[in-house]
Amino acid sequence: MLNELRRVDPEIYDSVRNEVRREHVEIELIASENYVSLAVLEAQGSVLTNKYAEGYPGKRYYGGCEHVDVAESLAIERAKRLFQAEHVNVQPHSGSQANMAVYLSALKPGDRILAMRLDHGGHLSHGHPKNMSSWIFDIASYGVRRDTERLDYDEVRAAAREARPKLIVVGASSYPRAIDFAPFRSIADEVGALLMADIAHIAGPVAAGLHPDPVPYCDFVTATTHKTLRGPRGGIILCKAAHARAIDSTVFPGSQGGPLMHVVAAKAVALKEALSPGFRRYQEQILANARALAEALAARGFRLVTGGTDNHIVVVDLTNRGLTGIEATHVLDRVGITVNNNQIPFDPLPPTKSSGIRLGTPAVTTRGMGEDEMRQLAAIIARAIEARADKTVLQHLRNETLDLADRFPIYPGILRRLYEQERGAYEIPGGHP
Ligand SMILES: *Cc1c(COP(=O)(O)O)cnc(C)c1O
């Protein structure tokens, strides 16, 4: 396995092998990450990367597209079925590219977009000053209420009346509550705006029918394929038939060149997996795990933003614990738990420090962990933060996460083959490959 890579480029081989090992030995609680299936990996690692396929199935600018056409047509058909969408474009290279394509197709430079404030949970591509969305468009924003830390649809309506945007964006990167899209449709209609939902994070629960569905209400829905949807890194756009031509021509040739056909094929595989019965059970377990993690953390005295979660995300406010989000991230790194620091609404600290951390359950759920393991993780997190100055305690907790990792292996076959081939040249701490 990876023998040719090892021979040709040992440094890159090391990078890949070490990442396989890291993914096994660390507990991944970054809400936006997941582990794809071996079938997705194989499709993405295939010779489809060689093919230029500018255009769309049956309408390409290059010859020899008959096989990649099959892959892209299947991806489109499966996404349409999964989300009950009128039209789908599977070519966006990422979620940010999908969002830009919608903006560029629906708006003219200088037009106004109303989106969720970034420090309340919105995404960079919703108008961060250093993102091109804000260089090209005029960004107005809405946020959550200070008292509930939740969206208040009346406040959004007031913001829309004030801003008179051409496009309203609904969706977030770190909002732990369900979003109702019907009031957003009514607000958009009142001010004459188009409506886009960005379900990058919640695509999995939406597809499984476990989160309110934006598709009936929105002109455009964008998503990533690599978060809860558990596919390859990439983006996807769903839209009403009336916008189909504009979206397709804005993706290509408007804002991208040749599609990444190996990734498109891997998206098709992930969408097939998402249409299978096991997927709904997987999404239910993600949500059950997030609730268990939230309850166990709250029971240990952590203040949770909004008091809990409706989705796969838990945002923890560390203000009463005497450390910042970035400090907590470093402490948890030392015990083998990977998270990211995150601002809380009305955070007095800048994003680089931040008062909170964001946790998510898609990756640990893919490993097979359930509510018992979430309670164990909450206990480890609490102990680590409490005893952060005590090396012995941290070492003990690290051993506990290694045992947990060994009980729920990820890519065990890949790890074993790499290990055997190197004859134990590197050690897998805490257990057997
Ligand atoms: C992750 C995310 C994106 C973009 O994802 P990339 O693929 O990293 O560009 C867009 N919107 C939201 C709300 C996200 O959380």
Side-chain angles (χ1 to χ4, degrees):
M1 166 155 294
L2 303 178
N3 280 321
E4 188 63 4
L5 178 60
R6 191 181 183 195
R7 189 182 67 75
V8 171
D9 193 337
E11 292 154 293
I12 293 299
Y13 170 83
D14 276 358
S15 155
V16 175
R17 173 258 265 157
N18 290 342
E19 176 62 13
V20 173
R21 180 176 166 283
R22 188 195 69 79
E23 291 188 13
H24 174 75
V25 298
E26 291 184 357
I27 305 295
E28 186 60 72
L29 285 178
I30 293 176
S32 49
E33 295 193 13
N34 212 330
Y35 309 105
V36 298
S37 69
L38 293 177
V40 167
L41 274 185
E42 284 179 0
Q44 191 164 5
S46 72
V47 297
L48 268 59
T49 190
N50 294 332
K51 191 70 198 94
Y52 244 116
E54 288 182 347
Y56 292 97
K59 292 168 284 189
R60 306 284 191 186
Y61 292 76
Y62 289 79
C65 285
E66 58 271 30
H67 306 301
V68 294
D69 273 6
V70 172
E72 184 165 352
S73 300
L74 282 170
I76 293 168
E77 283 318 309
R78 290 170 183 172
K80 279 174 134 173
R81 191 144 38 98
L82 184 65
F83 291 102
Q84 299 293 305
E86 291 178 15
H87 181 76
V88 173
N89 188 303
V90 295
Q91 293 189 6
H93 301 330
S94 70
S96 299
Q97 291 278 87
N99 288 348
M100 271 322 284
V102 170
Y103 304 158
L104 293 167
S105 84
L107 306 171
K108 291 191 197 53
D111 280 353
R112 183 166 294 162
I113 298 173
L114 178 71
M116 188 160 170
R117 283 174 56 168
L118 299 208
D119 55 345
H120 287 196
H123 187 256
L124 291 167
S125 61
H126 299 174
H128 187 277
K130 293 197 171 174
N131 183 271
M132 64 172 148
S133 50
S134 76
W135 313 340
I136 303 176
F137 304 104
D138 180 23
I139 306 293
S141 59
Y142 58 87
V144 297
R145 287 177 66 100
R146 198 182 270 271
D147 54 352
T148 60
E149 299 175 307
R150 296 183 188 224
L151 287 172
D152 174 327
Y153 301 105
D154 294 332
E155 283 191 3
V156 178
R157 189 179 296 274
R161 283 179 180 156
E162 166 101 26
R164 311 297 302 181
K166 287 256 170 62
L167 176 73
I168 297 177
V169 175
V170 48
S173 292
S174 61
Y175 185 66
R177 293 297 175 174
I179 297 177
D180 191 358
F181 300 98
F184 274 92
R185 178 75 261 171
S186 137
I187 294 164
D189 286 344
E190 182 187 323
V191 301
L194 291 163
L195 182 61
M196 176 186 116
D198 176 348
I199 59 166
H201 262 272
I202 53 172
V206 166
L210 299 169
H211 184 284
D213 185 1
V215 174
Y217 300 104
C218 296
D219 300 282
F220 313 96
V221 177
T222 60
T224 59
T225 44
H226 52 275
K227 297 179 183 173
T228 49
L229 211 47
R230 202 165 56 180
R233 189 161 295 281
I236 187 169
I237 302 172
L238 325 173
C239 68
K240 294 278 187 278
H243 303 296
R245 283 174 67 105
I247 284 294
D248 284 353
S249 86
T250 309
V251 172
F252 174 83
S255 58
Q256 292 189 169
L260 312 174
M261 293 315 296
H262 55 310
V263 178
V264 168
K267 286 174 181 171
V269 175
L271 289 161
K272 176 171 182 167
E273 291 170 352
L275 284 160
S276 75
F279 188 73
R280 190 182 155 98
R281 283 199 299 282
Y282 166 58
Q283 296 296 327
E284 283 169 344
Q285 192 60 51
I286 290 178
L287 303 186
N289 281 352
R291 275 194 303 276
L293 184 64
E295 280 164 19
L297 287 168
R300 289 171 189 279
F302 286 96
R303 193 190 83 79
L304 308 181
V305 169
T306 76
T309 180
D310 298 328
N311 57 27
H312 61 297
I313 294 174
V314 180
V315 183
V316 183
D317 175 6
L318 296 161
T319 310
N320 65 4
R321 294 296 168 122
L323 82 172
T324 64
I326 191 70
E327 287 164 345
T329 302
H330 292 148
V331 170
L332 295 177
D333 262 341
R334 292 181 59 190
V335 301
I337 295 177
T338 314
V339 305
N340 63 286
N341 65 299
N342 208 97
Q343 280 185 299
I344 59 170
F346 307 98
D347 201 324
L349 298 179
T352 45
K353 292 201 175 88
S354 80
S355 298
I357 49 174
R358 184 188 66 167
L359 313 176
T361 52
V364 286
T365 307
T366 295
R367 285 182 92 135
M369 293 186 197
E371 285 109 307
D372 283 344
E373 287 72 36
M374 297 306 109
R375 288 185 275 273
Q376 190 183 346
L377 283 171
I380 295 172
I381 290 169
R383 281 282 285 141
I385 286 176
E386 200 176 300
R388 56 189 177 274
D390 189 333
K391 267 192 181 156
T392 319
V393 174
L394 294 184
Q395 187 52 50
H396 176 79
L397 294 171
R398 180 61 183 119
N399 289 336
E400 210 181 311
T401 59
L402 282 170
D403 287 344
L404 195 55
D406 279 343
R407 278 207 290 129
F408 297 90
I410 189 73
Y411 305 127
I414 297 179
L415 201 58
R416 195 185 59 246
R417 273 180 285 171
L418 289 176
Y419 184 77
E420 280 166 2
Q421 157 184 314
E422 296 185 19
R423 295 174 185 285
Y426 67 98
E427 273 221 347
I428 297 170
H432 304 286

